[in-house]
Amino acid sequence: MATAQQQAALPLVSVIIPCYNHAVYLPEAFASIWQQHYPAVEVIVVDDGSTDNTRAVAEAGAGIRYIYQENQGLSAARNTGIRHSKGELLVFLDADDWLLPGALHTNVRYLQQNPQLAFVSGAHDKVFVDEGVVKEEIHEVPANHYQQLLQGNYIGMHATVMYRRWVFDELQYDVSLRFCEDYDLYLNVARKYPVAHHTYKIAAYRLHTANMSANIPRMLETVLQVLDRQKDRLRSAAEEHAYKAGHRVWKTYYSKEIYRKLRRRKIPASSEILMTLLKNKPSLFLKYMATQGSSSIKSIVKKNTPAFGLRLLQKMGLHKPRIPAVGQVELGDFGRTSPFSKQFGYDRGGPVDRYYIENFLRAEGPSIKGRALEIGDNEYTLLFGGERITQSDILHVDDSNPKATFVGDISHAPQLPDNTFDTIVLTQTLHLIYDFRDALATCHRILKPGGALLLTVPGITPIDHGEWKETWYWAFTDKAMRRLMSDAFPQGDVTVNSYGNVFAATAFLYGMGLPEVPVAKLDHHDPHYQVIITVKAVKAPAV
């Protein structure tokens, strides 16, 4: 704890938090500031016309100054925070991000040791919310900061930057910029004054669909506009080279983001998205289009770029099927009589069929609730049922699982009580049961009226080499499951689907791992090549 004398010697740091409908994140941002153990701090929340409970959350926080303005955008909110702040040093923390321990002390120390610096910046973590992944962003930039910024925004996250107050006596955030206003400011400051960068991690940047940076076409358009503002300020051949490199870097970066998100179905293949990719990185556009059906792509290309687009279509061969002639098939790695893996791909990143199984359970998550029974273990129940589960039971065929609440064969299980379970999760098990009709009858008996059986069975599949090789009796089709379920669940509501295609089936048979198979190819479903069949069967309500 700093003494009063030490505290008086420390410069006041103003942490300015602009907030627009992000009240839910504010407590975490506040906590990250108070854990800094830096005693000379003021925290200002600028509410940019929020319609949620930003005011209530901010005013409930101890030591928080709350300022409201009509919605004017992020730049205007930051400028408002500057006008109301008193600190010698300023930090801008977005409401959905947070500071890492020691952040303020680290940046204050750099500025105290280097009085000539206009700002100092550091490293950060990128937190990808949807994927549950954290990625370190650490760049060493010892010199030539303006030139380095022309080639790309090595800072990457605004909360890692600590400014001296005098910077804003001369410069403000440009309110005409909806995006990249921070990059614009970095360039303008670094053009005139010394700045520094270090590799200590300062903050965490939360990336989710609500981020403004999720609008890739607008981001790319704006970042190139910001970069072009520097064109008349270049003073050397090295800066000219960096400026041109920056254009290439930004176009490549955002084109790769578009391509990655398209392949993972994180963004729609809209006309705007595809034309941005075509304009800035034609090679990635061609690569993506080669994985898609041609009809919708043709119409988009013809509509938006008639001449150039048609030449691309011809070059890609989308006007005709690309099927090798007889005798010209290149078998490549598939030209072998043994699989790559005899473990269903577990040793290569995970089985291909799990993609379909887990997507099915994820989509049916709302049905996994109440008292649930799962066969073997309860991993899927807990993963996809979460807080909806009130009791999780496990049925195991023998006593080898100490967590099992019931032991026995589901095809003959009188110990399981009637009309008891809200959900039964029965994945990849029915084919191991010789009397599978009796197993389905048990499921119907023990479900509550209105309860749901979530079932998956293999279609095209390898046969286990290990534990289950002697009891691997069956494979199924969607037609077989419809017949079976109509017998087992009379008057019930039954939905049967199949998933897979010739590529997915081949990859699964060869033991390829899920990371080796493009998602776009897995998401194409051809009922003639059924890898997995899924069933949702809801027991008829009691009369």
Side-chain angles (χ1 to χ4, degrees):
M1 183 68 69
T3 65
Q5 183 177 3
Q6 290 171 325
Q7 183 170 343
L10 292 171
L12 177 66
V13 175
S14 297
V15 181
I16 298 168
I17 306 178
C19 186
Y20 178 69
N21 289 338
H22 273 175
V24 66
Y25 300 113
L26 283 174
E28 190 173 4
F30 295 159
S32 76
I33 299 169
W34 301 135
Q35 75 171 357
Q36 292 296 309
H37 302 300
Y38 184 87
V41 180
E42 68 166 358
V43 181
I44 300 171
V45 172
V46 181
D47 183 348
D48 188 36
S50 298
T51 57
D52 63 1
N53 60 333
T54 291
R55 176 188 290 272
V57 173
E59 291 182 341
I64 307 298
R65 290 180 60 199
Y66 172 82
I67 299 166
Y68 179 85
Q69 68 177 29
E70 294 295 327
N71 182 249
Q72 301 173 49
L74 185 56
S75 290
R78 287 175 175 162
N79 290 339
T80 296
I82 294 167
R83 290 194 299 272
H84 287 83
S85 66
K86 301 176 182 177
E88 178 184 339
L89 306 174
L90 285 81
V91 172
F92 298 91
L93 177 65
D94 287 349
D96 53 344
D97 300 331
W98 63 93
L99 298 178
L100 298 177
L104 298 183
H105 264 299
T106 298
N107 276 350
V108 168
R109 184 174 69 251
Y110 265 87
L111 291 177
Q112 286 182 319
Q113 293 173 351
N114 301 275
Q116 78 283 6
L117 296 179
F119 70 68
V120 63
S121 57
H124 66 279
D125 282 335
K126 281 185 175 177
V127 181
F128 295 86
V129 174
D130 295 339
E131 294 87 350
V133 173
V134 177
K135 178 184 177 183
E136 288 186 329
E137 288 288 340
I138 300 176
H139 304 284
E140 293 187 10
V141 186
N144 299 321
H145 291 85
Y146 176 68
Q147 188 173 314
Q148 292 294 325
L149 283 166
L150 287 171
Q151 296 182 78
N153 183 3
Y154 64 77
I155 296 173
M157 188 207 175
H158 209 178
T160 71
V161 183
M162 182 175 283
Y163 295 91
R164 294 194 190 276
R165 181 171 203 87
W166 56 256
V167 168
F168 301 102
D169 294 336
E170 178 180 347
L171 298 167
Q172 295 279 293
Y173 290 98
D174 188 339
V175 296
S176 71
L177 292 173
R178 178 168 169 76
F179 306 111
C180 306
E181 71 294 324
D182 49 356
Y183 183 44
D184 182 63
L185 183 63
Y186 305 152
L187 285 164
N188 291 334
V189 175
R191 168 73 286 176
K192 295 188 66 175
Y193 301 107
V195 300
H197 184 76
H198 58 74
T199 56
Y200 293 99
K201 290 197 294 185
I202 298 298
Y205 180 20
R206 190 191 315 255
L207 288 103
H208 49 82
T209 54
N211 289 113
M212 290 197 302
S213 55
N215 190 335
I216 298 177
R218 296 285 79 74
M219 286 289 294
L220 177 55
E221 178 184 337
T222 307
V223 77
L224 294 179
Q225 174 190 345
V226 166
L227 189 58
D228 286 343
R229 291 179 173 190
Q230 300 299 315
K231 188 173 183 179
D232 294 336
R233 305 176 187 178
L234 305 177
R235 299 175 182 170
S236 66
E239 290 180 357
E240 289 272 2
H241 178 78
Y243 165 79
K244 293 177 182 177
H247 268 264
R248 294 192 298 271
V249 166
W250 286 119
K251 289 178 180 180
T252 299
Y253 171 78
Y254 281 115
S255 295
K256 286 183 176 179
E257 280 292 288
I258 288 174
Y259 179 77
R260 181 180 67 86
K261 290 178 181 290
L262 284 172
R263 292 301 303 272
R264 297 183 181 181
R265 296 180 179 267
K266 297 292 186 182
I267 55 175
S270 66
S271 173
E272 181 183 34
I273 287 289
L274 290 174
M275 289 309 107
T276 300
L277 190 59
L278 173 62
K279 179 181 177 182
N280 294 287
K281 202 71 174 177
S283 61
L284 285 182
F285 175 81
L286 293 170
K287 187 176 180 181
Y288 173 72
M289 294 230 308
T291 69
Q292 306 301 302
S294 62
S295 58
S296 60
I297 304 297
K298 285 181 183 178
S299 63
I300 292 173
V301 173
K302 289 178 181 178
K303 179 180 177 181
N304 290 275
T305 57
F308 179 48
L310 289 175
R311 287 196 298 272
L312 277 174
L313 290 174
Q314 184 179 15
K315 181 179 180 181
M316 292 166 54
L318 286 180
H319 60 287
K320 59 183 179 181
R322 297 185 64 191
I323 300 174
V326 175
Q328 299 299 312
V329 175
E330 297 181 3
L331 294 176
D333 290 332
F334 285 169
R336 52 190 292 140
T337 58
S338 59
F340 310 134
S341 166
K342 295 181 179 181
Q343 302 175 36
F344 297 90
Y346 276 107
D347 53 339
R348 298 176 69 89
V352 168
D353 66 339
R354 294 291 148 176
Y355 176 76
Y356 301 125
I357 295 166
E358 293 181 6
N359 278 356
F360 165 64
L361 293 176
R362 186 177 294 109
E364 295 297 340
S367 298
I368 305 176
K369 61 186 179 181
R371 185 174 183 184
L373 176 70
E374 187 170 347
I375 313 305
D377 58 44
N378 62 351
E379 178 183 354
Y380 282 154
T381 296
L382 299 180
L383 177 62
F384 298 110
E387 296 179 353
R388 292 184 296 273
I389 299 300
T390 58
Q391 181 173 334
S392 176
D393 286 295
I394 300 171
L395 171 65
H396 200 274
V397 70
D398 54 40
D399 59 4
S400 61
N401 184 351
K403 295 182 179 180
T405 52
F406 297 97
V407 175
D409 182 347
I410 194 171
S411 64
H412 180 69
Q415 71 275 31
L416 293 175
D418 295 353
N419 302 313
T420 298
F421 300 100
D422 298 283
T423 310
I424 299 174
V425 178
L426 185 64
T427 57
Q428 303 305 92
T429 303
L430 205 64
H431 63 293
L432 304 175
I433 302 171
Y434 188 77
D435 298 316
F436 59 82
R437 291 179 183 271
D438 293 338
L440 292 174
T442 299
C443 290
H444 184 268
R445 175 178 63 81
I446 66 178
L447 271 176
K448 291 180 181 178
L453 167 65
L454 302 177
L455 168 72
T456 70
V457 292
I460 300 172
T461 178
I463 294 175
D464 186 34
H465 287 73
E467 179 182 3
W468 306 110
K469 64 181 179 181
E470 299 301 329
T471 56
W472 196 292
Y473 297 114
W474 313 107
F476 298 88
T477 66
D478 57 352
K479 295 176 179 62
M481 292 311 301
R482 289 189 183 97
R483 290 284 299 273
L484 288 169
M485 299 311 299
S486 66
D487 293 338
F489 277 68
Q491 289 82 50
D493 183 7
V494 177
T495 304
V496 178
N497 288 301
S498 69
Y499 298 90
N501 57 69
V502 67
F503 178 84
T506 304
F508 187 40
L509 290 174
Y510 273 81
M512 291 179 67
L514 184 55
E516 301 178 279
V517 183
V519 170
K521 292 190 176 183
L522 291 179
D523 285 340
H524 172 71
H525 303 307
D526 184 341
H528 299 285
Y529 301 91
Q530 300 179 11
V531 175
I532 287 294
I533 296 91
T534 66
V535 177
K536 178 183 179 182
V538 179
K539 185 174 179 178
V543 179

